[in-house]
Amino acid sequence: MKKYLFIYKSEVMSNLQYIFNLLVGFISYLILIFIFLNLWNYMYDDPTQVINGYTKNQMIWYVIITEILWMTVGGRKLCKKISDDVKGGNIAYNINKPYSYIGYALSSHLGSCTIKALMFSILGIITGLVFMGDFPKLTIASCIMVIITAIFATVINTLLIIFIGLISFFIEDANPFYWVYSKFILVLGTIFPIEYFPVVLQPILTYSPIYVVSYGPAKLFVDFSWTSCIHIIIAQVIYIIIAYILCRLLYQKGVKRLNVNGG
């Protein structure tokens, strides 16, 4: 565990040197929030109007939180790195290292996510207060639970992207799979809550990654309840275990294939 903590700290320190580069990403974040603000202004004639259980303020804060979670991960870069490691043979150098490649990729990427999460959270909250003028009613305990679910969401998202990257063991390029995954989360998981989709689709979305990587933390932020919190955390823990096991199995099978092929 200490070695992964060291990798995590090293990545945090490394990213602190590129804070101004990260600020550039906030421009696109601000543009997205501005677009959605106008969208919800058009849909909600009355700010007190409730659509599918959400007021205008709740919807805008929902999008702010889901966009923070999405932009924090930066999955395209991680998927490309793992895919390049596999195709370039660099992953072979990690096989005999005193740490797991999956553990290394996870801890390293979480170090990068930490700095971005702090920056986007601060800037996102400021943006929300400027646009909306108020803040969702949260207690200290509910704030802590929202943060915990956000951390779990980032871990799950990272593990799923690692899994997609490891598919490169068996195909030439895993990036198209990431493109499909990213659009699935972005379109269905960040723009609208699950309640906005047809009743037939809602159970499917509840069991999909959307529920644990974007919907869960954002839902608790805008409409916290302990019942929902328990359900979301249980689902996230199950997803973390399953995602990690799948990554391990895929990695082991890929390494075995490398050994059989002599590379």
Side-chain angles (χ1 to χ4, degrees):
M1 183 61 68
K2 289 184 179 180
K3 49 196 171 188
Y4 298 118
L5 184 60
F6 176 79
I7 294 170
Y8 170 82
K9 289 181 178 179
S10 299
E11 192 65 27
V12 170
M13 297 303 296
S14 175
N15 277 267
L16 284 174
Q17 302 177 24
Y18 303 99
I19 288 181
F20 289 104
N21 291 339
L22 296 176
L23 286 174
V24 176
F26 184 67
I27 297 176
S28 59
Y29 173 79
L30 193 60
I31 293 174
L32 285 172
I33 296 302
F34 179 76
I35 292 173
F36 290 126
L37 176 65
N38 285 276
L39 170 65
W40 298 123
N41 278 333
Y42 176 78
M43 293 183 64
Y44 285 86
D45 294 331
D46 181 1
T48 61
Q49 182 183 3
V50 178
I51 301 178
N52 294 325
Y54 291 83
T55 64
K56 173 184 171 183
N57 284 14
Q58 287 178 318
M59 277 308 311
I60 293 177
W61 277 112
Y62 179 91
V63 173
I64 288 174
I65 298 302
T66 54
E67 287 295 337
I68 289 174
L69 292 170
W70 177 249
M71 300 196 73
T72 290
V73 174
R76 185 175 64 86
K77 182 178 179 181
L78 173 61
C79 183
K80 185 177 184 304
K81 180 182 183 303
I82 295 175
S83 182
D84 290 344
D85 283 347
V86 174
K87 291 187 294 183
N90 292 331
I91 199 169
Y93 295 104
N94 292 280
I95 294 176
N96 296 320
K97 295 287 186 180
Y99 53 75
S100 163
Y101 179 81
I102 297 171
Y104 167 79
L106 177 62
S107 54
S108 175
H109 191 68
L110 289 180
S112 173
C113 290
T114 299
I115 302 301
K116 290 191 287 186
L118 290 173
M119 292 183 59
F120 277 109
S121 295
I122 294 172
L123 296 173
I125 289 173
I126 292 175
T127 303
L129 291 174
V130 170
F131 283 153
M132 306 308 302
D134 62 356
F135 195 78
K137 296 179 181 179
L138 292 169
T139 64
I140 295 178
S142 57
C143 279
I144 293 174
M145 299 311 298
V146 169
I147 292 173
I148 290 174
T149 57
I151 293 173
F152 283 175
T154 304
V155 172
I156 295 167
N157 210 351
T158 301
L159 285 172
L160 292 176
I161 294 168
I162 291 173
F163 176 81
I164 294 172
L166 291 174
I167 296 177
S168 297
F169 274 118
F170 308 96
I171 62 173
E172 184 176 351
D173 188 7
N175 288 304
F177 288 89
Y178 171 74
W179 185 89
V180 173
Y181 169 77
S182 64
K183 296 303 176 286
F184 174 74
I185 300 295
L186 185 62
V187 174
L188 300 180
T190 63
I191 300 176
F192 300 102
I194 291 177
E195 291 86 353
Y196 267 72
F197 292 94
V199 177
V200 177
L201 292 179
Q202 289 182 19
I204 299 174
L205 296 176
T206 300
Y207 287 101
S208 74
I210 289 172
Y211 184 78
V212 291
V213 304
S214 58
Y215 171 84
K219 173 66 174 180
L220 293 179
F221 186 83
V222 301
D223 186 21
F224 185 89
S225 76
W226 284 104
T227 301
S228 297
C229 181
I230 293 172
H231 289 166
I232 291 167
I233 288 181
I234 291 175
Q236 287 181 322
V237 170
I238 293 173
Y239 251 93
I240 289 174
I241 295 172
I242 293 176
Y244 180 76
I245 291 174
L246 290 176
C247 286
R248 288 287 299 177
L249 291 175
L250 191 62
Y251 176 76
Q252 290 172 358
K253 192 170 183 178
V255 169
K256 184 178 181 180
R257 184 178 181 184
L258 282 179
N259 293 332
V260 169
N261 294 332

